[in-house]
Amino acid sequence: MVTSERPAGSDRAGLTDALVQASFMTMAVLSRIGAEHDLSLTSLRVLAILRDRRLKMTDLADYLGLDQSTMTGLVDRAEKRGLLERLRNPTDGRAVDVRISPAGAELAQRLHADVVRSLAPMIDLLPRPEQRRLRTLLERMLTPS
Amino acid sequence: MVTSERPAGSDRAGLTDALVQASFMTMAVLSRIGAEHDLSLTSLRVLAILRDRRLKMTDLADYLGLDQSTMTGLVDRAEKRGLLERLRNPTDGRAVDVRISPAGAELAQRLHADVVRSLAPMIDLLPRPEQRRLRTLLERMLTPS
DNA sequence: TATTGTTATACTCTATAACTATA
DNA sequence: TATAGTTATAGAGTATAACAATA
């Protein structure tokens, strides 16, 4: 779970705990950066996802694992702040597309740079070659090739 | 000018992205497991933290990076469900200690096992020796030794 | 005076249920 | 009928400000 003690039964438990702990640390950084711009973790994610994509409300909700009604509120608030735009879907009259605005794209870029910069102190606790190894291992775990 | 070496900013960006992606994946698993027991990610964490510790409200809030007033509500709800107990702090009349209850400890153990089991499919995408390497790298990053 | 915790308040996030419009 | 999206509603999570009790 969160604590770092390892029940001496399974090998997997140790890696699980390390992964969970690293995740909470990462999320804390993302949360702080979001909060500095009045953005929740979810809004941060929406912005990141829409950086290079235009999606229907439904697809966005599926992507985030949220209900459609939740998406409505999220997009409402982001649109009101000028970060996103709602558009008519050209092929389905019921659907609504969401696209990032120029201001939103600019913010998203700044946020990403901020995340990289904020995680650097943690990452740099590893020497460069180990950083590369860690990245490779994580990517192999994320991409069931 | 401080950096005369090849800055490898893109190196760091790659690891950052992998770390963020792995974290979101991990958090999704934790959220789902929490939701199955009507627990938020934060409540899940509280339970995990108190598994082997008894803490003052303030220390708990600091640990989680939350305001004290937020802790009040979290502990209220968990206490009402019989998962935690409030206790008088023996040395400071203002302070309130929080301790996990027997029922809470039992649930926490079940949750931890659930997390290990749920992350196993992802973890097992790596062969065992690589799992050990990943764990070592993560722990080295988490523990500024 | 400073610290600990709670309460009051307000806003965001979230899901469920009911609704409208389109397919 | 089924799907896409919104609205209404309710509850949890969160912070800020004001407060009481204790140090």
Side-chain angles (χ1 to χ4, degrees):
Chain A
M1 209 168 295
V2 180
T3 50
S4 55
E5 91 277 10
R6 34 178 189 280
S10 174
D11 260 5
R12 272 197 223 93
L15 174 50
T16 298
D17 291 350
L19 201 54
V20 169
Q21 229 185 311
S23 297
F24 273 120
M25 204 163 294
T26 303
M27 286 299 140
V29 168
L30 295 183
S31 285
R32 176 183 57 73
I33 291 173
E36 285 170 3
H37 297 265
D38 270 300
L39 290 170
S40 71
L41 217 41
T42 306
S43 303
L44 206 74
R45 255 187 116 185
V46 170
L47 238 50
I49 291 168
L50 294 180
R51 237 182 129 183
D52 56 2
R53 255 163 301 188
R54 161 184 174 157
L55 291 176
K56 291 197 309 174
M57 294 290 287
T58 300
D59 294 339
L60 201 46
D62 288 349
Y63 202 99
L64 295 163
L66 298 173
D67 193 89
Q68 292 184 357
S69 60
T70 301
M71 271 326 310
T72 297
L74 283 166
V75 171
D76 275 355
R77 288 183 287 275
E79 192 179 27
K80 202 164 299 178
R81 289 175 56 177
L83 303 175
L84 304 178
E85 299 164 341
R86 277 183 168 91
L87 302 158
R88 288 206 323 269
N89 181 294
T91 65
D92 190 334
R94 300 166 299 177
V96 172
D97 285 356
V98 189
R99 183 176 61 182
I100 200 165
S101 72
E106 195 182 328
L107 177 57
Q109 185 185 346
R110 211 149 2 109
L111 289 168
H112 184 261
D114 237 5
V115 170
V116 174
R117 193 179 321 121
S118 297
L119 285 176
M122 184 166 106
I123 285 176
D124 286 344
L125 288 174
L126 295 177
R128 200 60 61 82
E130 313 262 318
Q131 290 180 21
R132 278 191 286 271
R133 285 171 61 191
L134 177 54
R135 175 182 172 180
T136 301
L137 290 170
L138 288 175
E139 285 176 348
R140 203 176 307 168
M141 204 173 57
L142 293 169
T143 335
S145 53
Chain B
M1 200 55 86
V2 187
T3 58
S4 55
E5 306 169 7
R6 230 21 304 152
S10 63
D11 261 9
R12 258 202 294 267
L15 174 49
T16 299
D17 292 350
L19 201 54
V20 168
Q21 225 185 313
S23 297
F24 274 119
M25 204 164 290
T26 304
M27 286 298 141
V29 169
L30 295 183
S31 286
R32 176 183 57 72
I33 292 173
E36 284 169 5
H37 298 264
D38 268 301
L39 289 170
S40 70
L41 217 42
T42 305
S43 302
L44 206 75
R45 255 187 116 184
V46 170
L47 237 52
I49 290 168
L50 294 179
R51 234 180 131 187
D52 56 2
R53 256 165 298 189
R54 162 184 173 157
L55 290 175
K56 291 196 310 172
M57 294 290 287
T58 301
D59 293 340
L60 200 47
D62 288 348
Y63 203 99
L64 295 163
L66 298 173
D67 193 88
Q68 292 184 357
S69 60
T70 302
M71 272 324 311
T72 297
L74 283 166
V75 172
D76 276 355
R77 287 183 288 274
E79 191 178 28
K80 203 165 296 178
R81 289 176 57 176
L83 303 175
L84 304 178
E85 299 164 340
R86 276 182 168 93
L87 302 159
R88 286 207 324 267
N89 182 293
T91 66
D92 189 335
R94 301 166 300 178
V96 173
D97 284 356
V98 189
R99 183 176 59 184
I100 201 166
S101 72
E106 194 182 329
L107 176 56
Q109 184 184 348
R110 209 144 9 105
L111 290 168
H112 183 262
D114 237 5
V115 170
V116 174
R117 192 178 322 118
S118 297
L119 285 176
M122 184 165 105
I123 284 176
D124 285 344
L125 289 175
L126 295 177
R128 200 55 64 88
E130 313 263 319
Q131 290 180 20
R132 276 192 286 273
R133 283 170 63 190
L134 176 55
R135 174 180 171 182
T136 301
L137 289 170
L138 288 175
E139 286 176 347
R140 202 177 307 170
M141 204 172 57
L142 292 169
T143 334
S145 51

